Each structure stands twice: as C-alpha cells, then as structure tokens.
Amino acid sequence: GTSIFINDAGNAIVDGDGSVYVLRESANTQATKLSCGQAVIYNNVSRTKLILGDVYNFNDLSHSGTDTEISIDGSKANFYTLGNPY
C-alpha cells in the first residue's frame, strides 16, 4: 500500500511502493461544465505524481514530484486525457 502523511503545518511525505496524486487547479485550469446532473468537463488540471520519499507542501505547493496537466470530459467514453508531457 501507499500513503501520504500530512502534518499540521501542511507538509507531506509519501510512504509505500505505489504513487500518490495531488490534483489542483492552476492558472491554466478551465472548468467548463460543473453542474449537478451533467457530465463534468474540466480541462488542464495540475496533477502532481509523488512516489516513496517525495514531499509536498500544501501551503506553498512546493514538491519533489513530477507535474503534468490532465483533462476530464465526462461526456466521452474515454473521459480522461493526459496533457502533453513535454
């Protein structure tokens, strides 16, 4: 199993053999459809991948993981798309 431990100061560290993902809005995020009963369309969400020993500060968003952007379109069968990793 994998876990993320977060202290009261907002500092976190990952333990275990898998990955933890932190999702957050950024300046590029576009929430185009967020209504009850409707398919969610959420573009350019920042995703940080953390593995064993990686740290994340939830106050200033500094971390030792890897970032990419993802998009979700709940109206499509393949609703999850990974942004350009380059």
Side-chain angles (χ1 to χ4, degrees):
T2 304
S3 58
I4 186 168
F5 296 97
I6 308 167
N7 68 16
D8 60 353
N11 296 310
I13 189 165
V14 174
D15 184 38
D17 54 5
S19 302
V20 172
Y21 296 92
V22 177
L23 303 177
R24 67 175 181 81
E25 289 188 353
S26 71
N28 296 331
T29 301
Q30 301 167 352
T32 58
K33 202 170 189 186
L34 297 175
S35 301
C36 290
Q38 300 292 317
V40 171
I41 300 174
Y42 212 34
N43 295 313
N44 305 320
V45 175
S46 176
R47 184 195 79 179
T48 303
K49 179 181 180 180
L50 304 168
I51 59 173
L52 176 65
D54 280 345
V55 295
Y56 194 96
N57 182 299
F58 283 89
N59 294 311
D60 66 14
L61 308 178
S62 62
H63 60 83
S64 60
T66 55
D67 279 331
T68 192
E69 287 185 340
I70 63 169
S71 294
I72 299 167
D73 185 342
S75 67
K76 296 182 179 178
N78 185 11
F79 60 88
Y80 171 82
T81 56
L82 186 62
N84 184 345
Y86 306 103

